[in-house]
């Protein structure tokens, strides 16, 4: 499987006409503008459908045209910045972090995809230039390459079973799109194959596991296994700074109650069905994803307790109860997120996970993290170790759980400073 990702920079002055250069189809009435988003994506081969389910989404709303365009014009043309005590009117681009900026950017790239990238793929497929001599035919008997292109704002991710096609598309992105003033960021891309006229040192910017045999492509907070296509969370952003720099510690009111809320907050960001779906990941990787979330949570717990120690000290039993409740909350949160995905889309994720497994993984993660800071947690650690030993799973640990808690499989996280 060949794939790569890249980041494209865009330098353009957005005008109000940008709204009409999109997949949106406006129907004008006398005073209203009726906007209809309809995403109708073509069917993919089964090997892609098993990895990424595609859902159709439709959204409709009536708004006053005059009001809508006044808001858009103000957002694009009248953004004011304050710098060094002075105010400046932005003259180029759109406001970074603006509530509409991501949408406008996506609409612009959507126009690029429809009018340039899609025709490029159709042309290469019709010419047969991307067919491999030893390619495997699909169920329909066609030997054309199977591929998938995804984008999150300006980050593209491309998968193909044809090296010729992947190299061809990569070359097209490198040339840039002059008509859109879009060019690839040469410093932010990675691939699991070598392309012509591109140094291997700059091309293969992918994360390699400690065993040097497993490689991952990093894309939008995900680590995608280059061999199995399994999905894990990307924690590399924590490597450059101390983990405590990501926390806000509340010393006022009831610090213990605040800590209980924070523990749940620590678990939520990476709790996405992608990491637990058995359609995508093996049982071992599902449990590894949960274990790594608990490792990060335990590290943040230590940092929070250390900062809190300047004003108060929490009882060991109180901390133990908070941790145990957080483990139970994690299991409920996973079930809730998976159920929500089933209700709100055509995607049907599969969850094969027991409550006891989540608890055991959580206790194990906290023990491993806190015993590296034993001097601060010498009273709490015996309580957690006792709960881990007495847990019903400890006497019969499955191979999947052993894989999850193997330190080699979380070597990246143990490099984080906490």
């Amino acid at each position: 499987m060949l794939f790569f990702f890249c980041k494209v920079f865009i330098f353009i002055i957005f005008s109000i006409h940008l709204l009409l250069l999109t997949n949106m189809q406006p129907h004008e009435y006398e005073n209203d503008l009726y906007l209809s988003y309809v995403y109708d994506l073509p069917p993919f081969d089964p090997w892609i459908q098993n990895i990424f389910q595609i859902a159709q989404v439709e959204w409709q709303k009536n708004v006053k045209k005059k009001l809508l365009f006044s808001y858009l014009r103000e957002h694009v043309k009248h953004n004011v910045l304050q710098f060094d005590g002075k105010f400046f009117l932005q003259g180029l681009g759109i406001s970074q972090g603006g509530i509409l900026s991501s949408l406008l950017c996506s609409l612009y790239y959507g126009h690029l995809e429809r009018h340039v990238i899609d025709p490029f793929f159709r042309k290469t497929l019709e010419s047969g230039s991307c067919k491999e001599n030893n390619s495997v035919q699909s169920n329909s008997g066609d030997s054309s390459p199977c591929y998938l292109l995804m984008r999150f704002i300006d980050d593209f991710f491309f998968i193909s079973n044809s090296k010729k096609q992947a190299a061809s598309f990569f070359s097209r992105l490198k040339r840039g799109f002059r008509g859109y003033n879009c060019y690839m960021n040469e410093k932010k891309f990675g691939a699991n194959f070598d392309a012509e006229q591109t140094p291997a040192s700059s091309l293969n910017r992918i994360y390699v596991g400690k065993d040097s045999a497993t490689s991952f492509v990093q894309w939008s907070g995900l680590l995608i296994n280059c061999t199995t296509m399994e999905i894990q969370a990307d924690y590399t952003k924590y490597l450059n700074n101390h983990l405590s720099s990501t926390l806000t510690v509340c010393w006022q009111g009831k610090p213990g109650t605040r800590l209980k809320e924070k523990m749940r907050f620590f678990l939520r960001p990476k709790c996405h069905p992608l990491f637990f779906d058995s359609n995508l990941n093996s049982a071992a990787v599902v449990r590894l994803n949960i274990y790594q979330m608990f490792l990060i949570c335990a590290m943040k717990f230590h940092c929070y307790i250390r900062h809190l120690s300047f004003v108060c000290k929490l009882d060991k039993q109180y901390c133990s109860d908070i941790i145990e409740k957080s483990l139970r909350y994690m299991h409920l949160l996973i079930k809730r997120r998976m159920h929500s995905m089933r209700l709100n889309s055509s995607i049907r994720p599969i969850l094969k996970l027991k409550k006891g497994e989540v608890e055991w993984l959580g206790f194990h993660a906290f023990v491993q993290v806190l015993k590296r800071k034993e001097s601060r947690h010498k009273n709490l650690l015996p309580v957690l170790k006792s709960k881990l030993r007495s847990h019903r799973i400890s006497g019969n640990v499955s191979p999947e759980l052993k894989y999850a808690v193997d330190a080699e499989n979380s070597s990246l996280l143990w490099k984080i400073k906490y």
Side-chain angles (χ1 to χ4, degrees):
M1 204 72 65
L2 301 165
F3 51 101
F4 65 85
F5 82 95
C6 70
K7 193 177 187 71
V8 179
F9 273 170
I10 176 171
F11 304 94
I12 191 72
I13 298 177
F14 283 90
S15 69
I16 201 65
H17 301 291
L18 178 64
L19 184 63
L20 302 181
L21 298 177
T22 68
N23 295 339
M24 295 166 52
Q25 301 175 357
H27 308 280
E28 293 198 35
Y29 299 95
E30 185 175 353
N31 295 316
D32 296 345
L33 183 67
Y34 177 73
L35 302 179
S36 176
Y37 294 84
V38 180
Y39 299 91
D40 191 4
L41 300 177
F44 296 100
D45 275 15
W47 72 275
I48 290 181
Q49 292 178 354
N50 290 336
I51 300 171
F52 296 100
Q53 297 285 338
I54 306 300
Q56 290 185 344
V57 182
E58 184 170 346
W59 173 85
Q60 296 180 349
K61 185 176 178 65
N62 289 324
V63 294
K64 294 292 183 181
K65 181 172 66 174
K66 184 177 180 180
L67 180 63
L68 173 65
F69 276 77
S70 67
Y71 285 155
L72 285 173
R73 188 175 292 107
E74 181 178 355
H75 181 84
V76 174
K77 294 291 188 180
H78 302 146
N79 184 50
V80 177
L81 305 174
Q82 184 179 11
F83 178 73
D84 197 21
K86 299 179 181 179
F87 292 92
F88 298 88
L89 180 65
Q90 184 172 350
L92 180 66
I94 56 178
S95 57
Q96 186 173 2
I99 193 171
L100 292 178
S101 297
S102 296
L103 176 61
L104 292 175
C105 187
S106 292
L107 294 175
Y108 191 82
Y109 280 115
H111 190 270
L112 168 66
E113 289 174 353
R114 169 168 288 192
H115 294 278
V116 180
I117 295 179
D118 285 351
F120 169 81
F121 282 126
R122 286 197 298 269
K123 183 178 179 180
T124 56
L125 290 175
E126 290 171 359
S127 66
S129 60
C130 292
K131 290 185 178 181
E132 302 283 353
N133 295 331
N134 59 346
S135 60
V136 179
Q137 291 188 349
S138 63
N139 295 334
S140 62
D142 186 11
S143 61
S144 299
C146 299
Y147 69 94
L148 175 67
L149 175 65
M150 297 187 294
R151 174 178 56 82
F152 182 70
I153 311 298
D154 57 351
D155 288 324
F156 287 79
F157 184 71
F158 182 72
I159 311 172
S160 177
N161 64 348
S162 166
K163 183 176 181 179
K164 287 183 179 179
Q165 185 185 40
S168 174
F169 183 50
F170 179 78
S171 177
R172 180 65 188 89
L173 289 178
K174 283 197 68 177
R175 295 202 306 270
F177 305 93
R178 184 178 299 179
Y180 290 82
N181 208 13
C182 296
Y183 301 93
M184 190 177 81
N185 185 349
E186 297 282 351
K187 297 181 179 180
K188 292 186 178 180
F189 70 91
N192 69 336
F193 67 97
D194 293 331
E196 295 181 4
Q197 300 178 347
T198 304
S201 59
S202 63
L203 180 63
N204 290 312
R205 293 187 176 179
I206 56 180
Y207 174 72
V208 179
K210 193 173 182 179
D211 58 2
S212 300
T214 307
S215 58
F216 300 85
V217 166
Q218 298 169 270
W219 183 65
S220 298
L222 305 177
L223 287 179
I224 302 175
N225 191 304
C226 295
T227 303
T228 65
M229 296 297 292
E230 292 175 300
I231 299 175
Q232 296 177 228
D234 184 6
Y235 296 104
T236 55
K237 67 177 182 179
Y238 292 126
L239 294 178
N240 298 326
N241 299 294
H242 198 280
L243 193 60
S244 60
S245 64
T246 66
L247 302 179
T248 301
V249 180
C250 181
W251 292 335
Q252 299 176 342
K254 298 180 179 180
T257 303
R258 293 286 188 179
L259 175 59
K260 188 186 302 183
E261 296 171 356
K262 284 287 186 179
M263 290 288 283
R264 296 187 174 192
F265 178 77
F266 296 156
L267 293 170
R268 283 197 287 265
K270 295 294 185 181
C271 189
H272 193 282
L274 275 175
F275 303 120
F276 318 120
D277 188 357
S278 294
N279 290 314
L280 306 178
N281 298 321
S282 65
V285 171
V286 168
R287 284 146 186 81
L288 175 62
N289 286 336
I290 295 172
Y291 185 67
Q292 290 183 345
M293 292 176 193
F294 280 134
L295 288 178
I296 294 295
C297 181
M299 292 176 183
K300 290 184 176 181
F301 170 82
H302 162 74
C303 294
Y304 200 96
I305 289 292
R306 182 167 58 86
H307 282 287
L308 209 58
S309 64
F310 293 109
V311 293
C312 69
K313 293 186 182 295
L314 299 178
D315 178 71
K316 63 178 181 180
Q317 193 59 49
Y318 184 80
C319 289
S320 174
D321 291 342
I322 288 179
I323 292 172
E324 190 166 4
K325 289 178 181 178
S326 299
L327 309 187
R328 294 172 183 169
Y329 170 77
M330 179 64 166
H331 180 253
L332 291 174
L333 183 62
I334 292 173
K335 290 177 63 177
R336 192 182 306 151
R337 294 279 173 90
M338 297 289 278
H339 182 67
S340 176
M341 181 66 72
R342 295 189 191 101
L343 288 179
N344 299 324
S345 72
S346 62
I347 300 174
R348 293 293 178 265
I350 297 176
L351 179 64
K352 296 180 179 179
L353 186 68
K354 296 179 181 178
K355 178 181 178 181
E357 292 178 303
V358 177
E359 293 176 349
W360 187 86
L361 288 169
F363 281 128
H364 193 285
F366 271 86
V367 168
Q368 294 302 311
V369 169
L370 299 186
K371 76 178 185 180
R372 298 190 177 206
K373 308 290 182 179
E374 190 168 2
S375 60
R376 183 171 295 277
H377 305 285
K378 58 184 178 181
N379 295 326
L380 175 60
L381 265 172
V383 179
L384 296 179
K385 288 180 179 179
S386 175
K387 291 189 175 185
L388 178 62
R389 285 193 301 267
S390 61
H391 198 281
R392 62 182 181 275
I393 287 182
S394 294
N396 186 24
V397 181
S398 67
E400 292 80 13
L401 289 175
K402 290 180 180 178
Y403 176 88
V405 300
D406 187 343
E408 294 290 321
N409 297 323
S410 299
S411 57
L412 169 68
L413 276 72
W414 292 116
K415 297 177 183 178
I416 297 174
K417 299 175 183 177
Y418 68 97

